[in-house]
Structure formats: structure tokens, C-alpha cells
Amino acid sequence: MIEEDAVTWGPWRIRDGSTTAVDPELLPAWDYKVELEFESSVALDLARTLTSAGVDGSSLALVIVADCPAANVRLAASTAIDPLSGSAVARLTVPAGVLAESVRLTRNVVLANGPADGPAGVARRAGSVLATSERSIVALEGNGGRFPTEAVDFRAVGRPESPWTIVTTFDSIDESFVGSVRLLVNTEHPVGRLTLAADQPAGLDAVMRADIVRRLLLDLSAREVDLSVEWPEESVGDVIAGMCDLYLGMSMETAIKTLRADPAHFEDLLASSLDPFRTVWVK
């Protein structure tokens, strides 16, 4: 390992297209529809690196890692460390719709390539970690949209070519909503592309919201779930129950019972409560 005080870690910088935050704890204007770029640097004392780890700067790389437990995602990027200065800057670009809730950032100095043999105690395997920074946690609590979303070419993955769809992977509605529910937006559908634009047409968000509520309740109505209990905060049950209360003015239990018993009446309630088309045609 490289001696701790032979490594100087630079600050984290995060860019979202309009903002650069240094050592951020919160991205106040984060929007799931915007990609994020994470950047950091390292500077090594090459003489002490050679002394403590037995390697020189020509075989080292800086790796930055972003972990998002809520979305079950880990991403990484690497760059070679300059063998003369002992420094490097790495950047990791995360596509829109990948992250949720928070992201954990770490930096590692790793052995990019090592000798086939060497003295005992000297790292030889490529990828061996020689130094690790403290972890930084960035809360994604912005005032933009936070529904977990992914932009996908539906034709390429064999899906019907609708503008969007909902994909669920939860077995229990106690599971994390952002970790088990995804809104897929079709990048090859003209309406799908409009939903990803910064300046959506008036009314499109209302139409999409009504369809998302419908699809989520249809999913739950096909399952055997206990609808009379309370669920953990930010779980599937908690989030969908909140949608029912906010948009339909009823409990999730009542909404699903209505959907099962009289689908046509449920559609009337949905159209009456959310009124998605008013903003499309009525000025």
C-alpha cells in the first residue's frame, strides 16, 4: 500500500449541465433527466510511492467509483497517472435516469499493470488497490423530477414501440420504490423524446402522470398483497399510496378495489381527478 500522507486527493466536482459543485453534500437542482459528471484528482509523491509500495508512477491509474444502492448501480471510470508528475484527473459521466436518492463516491489508486514477478509484499496483479480515499456521499434531493427513469431504444430491446412503459422488479411492496420501479422512455418515439426534453410541451407531464398511476395500480391489482397495512417510508407501497392520496383523493386499498371491481369506473375517476387532457387542448 502507498503511505497515506504520500497521496493528496483533490476535491469532488459535479457538473449537471448548468452547475458545478465543489465538495457537494446536496445537489439542490438535480433532475433525473440530466446526466451528471463526477470529477476528481489525485497527486502522488512518487518517491515515497516507490519506497512504500514498490511501484513507480508508470504503472498506476486513478479510478473513481460511484455507487447508488437505491438503484442497485455501480459505475466507474479510470485514467492513467502521469509518470512524471504523479497526478491525474478522472471523470465519470452518468447517463440521465440512472441514479436515485444518493450516490457514494470513492477514489482508488490502482496498479494498472504490474511485473510478472517481484519481491514479496509488492503488488503484482493489475487492479490491485494501493490507496483509497474516504467516501463522499452526495444527496440527490433536487427540485427536479425524481421518478427513476431510463432512456431506451425500445426497438433495440424488443419492446413494443410505445412512448414509455413501467418496469417493476419487486417481489414485495415493502421493497424500495426507486430500486425496483423504472420508467422506461423510448428514445426512438417522438413523444418519448419530448418527455426527455428540458422544455416539454404543455400538458405532456399530466398525460404521463395519469398513465404512470394507471400502470402502477394495474400492476398491484394483479398481485396478492395486503393493502390494509402501513409500509416502510419510500417503499413501493408507501409511494403508490401517496400517489393515490395526492392524485385520486382515496386510499390505495380503495383505488385497487375499484379498479378490480369496475375498471371503466376507475378510468372515469382517473380522468376526473387528474384531468390530464385539459392542459393539452384547453387554454
Side-chain angles (χ1 to χ4, degrees), residues 199 205 211 214 240-241 261-262:
D199 52 343
D205 59 337
D211 193 48
R214 175 190 296 109
I240 299 179
D262 192 343

Side-chain angles (χ1 to χ4, degrees), residues 7-15 21-24 37-43 61-65 77-81 87-93 105-108 133-134 136:
V7 183
T8 302
W9 303 105
W12 281 105
R13 292 181 173 84
I14 301 180
R15 298 180 178 87
V22 180
D23 280 336
E37 182 184 80
F38 300 97
E39 175 189 299
S40 193
S41 61
V42 69
L62 169 63
V63 178
I64 58 176
V65 180
S78 66
T79 189
I81 292 176
S87 62
V89 177
R91 298 177 182 85
L92 171 63
T93 300
L105 303 172
T106 54
R107 296 155 294 191
N108 300 309
S133 71
E134 292 185 357
S136 297

Side-chain angles (χ1 to χ4, degrees), residues 14-38:
I14 301 180
R15 298 180 178 87
D16 66 357
S18 61
T19 303
T20 298
V22 180
D23 280 336
E25 294 183 356
L26 176 68
L27 289 181
W30 176 68
D31 191 318
Y32 71 81
K33 293 180 291 186
V34 176
E35 71 176 23
L36 293 176
E37 182 184 80
F38 300 97

Side-chain angles (χ1 to χ4, degrees), residues 84-177:
L84 299 178
S85 67
S87 62
V89 177
R91 298 177 182 85
L92 171 63
T93 300
V94 181
V98 171
L99 303 177
E101 290 191 357
S102 65
V103 60
R104 302 172 182 179
L105 303 172
T106 54
R107 296 155 294 191
N108 300 309
V109 173
V110 305
L111 189 65
N113 51 75
D117 52 25
V122 174
R124 295 192 298 271
R125 180 177 299 176
S128 297
V129 177
L130 303 178
T132 301
S133 71
E134 292 185 357
R135 185 175 65 185
S136 297
I137 299 178
V138 180
L140 303 176
E141 297 287 346
N143 52 21
R146 293 181 60 203
F147 199 98
T149 304
E150 185 173 347
V152 177
D153 178 350
F154 281 24
R155 182 182 301 175
V157 297
R159 286 190 170 275
E161 295 181 49
S162 58
W164 58 73
T165 192
I166 292 286
V167 174
T168 60
T169 58
F170 58 86
D171 295 317
S172 166
I173 58 176
D174 289 342
E175 295 177 32
S176 165
F177 181 84

